[in-house]
Amino acid sequence: MECFTIRMLEESARGACPKCGDPAAGPNGLALFADDDDEPICRACGKKMAPSMVALLDLARTAERVGKSYRHLLTPPMELLLDLASAAENYSRSAPKLRAT
Ligand SMILES: [Zn+2]
């Protein structure tokens, strides 16, 4: 079973996705990596191979965007709160279920 991690990219991605070879151009910031590769994998491959990690990445990016853009406001705009709630719901639906011991 392959393992995936979310890492911070200091520079924009310019290489190719190591799984499918498609150009993986993207902004710097959080990205999904397979443990055995140094280049980030594309969203399409991530959704096939690690959908819960893509959902977690979406949640982290949404929270980062809301936090950076509206930290000076007491309450962010409703549209962004709904984006955050939607990303959290997507993650909770895709997250692996914990087994009771
Ligand atoms: Zn790919």
Side-chain angles (χ1 to χ4, degrees):
M1 183 173 162
E2 196 164 13
C3 292
F4 296 90
T5 56
I6 294 173
R7 297 184 217 158
M8 180 66 76
L9 266 178
E10 298 296 328
E11 297 178 6
S12 300
R14 291 185 212 131
C17 170
K19 301 299 179 193
C20 68
D22 284 352
N28 60 344
L30 298 173
L32 184 63
F33 291 79
D35 270 356
D36 54 349
D37 294 311
D38 291 331
E39 293 291 326
I41 63 174
C42 71
R43 185 175 177 81
C45 288
K47 286 196 89 128
K48 283 186 228 162
M49 302 168 85
S52 62
M53 292 296 282
V54 172
L56 181 59
L57 185 60
D58 289 345
L59 178 57
R61 286 177 174 161
T62 303
E64 183 178 38
R65 179 170 47 99
V66 171
K68 277 185 179 174
S69 302
Y70 296 97
R71 70 177 61 167
H72 60 284
L73 297 177
L74 184 59
T75 305
M78 183 59 76
E79 181 182 328
L80 288 177
L81 292 177
L82 291 174
D83 286 350
L84 192 56
S86 174
E89 189 175 322
N90 287 341
Y91 173 67
S92 67
R93 267 194 256 131
S94 67
K97 304 294 180 238
L98 296 175
R99 282 189 251 158
T101 55

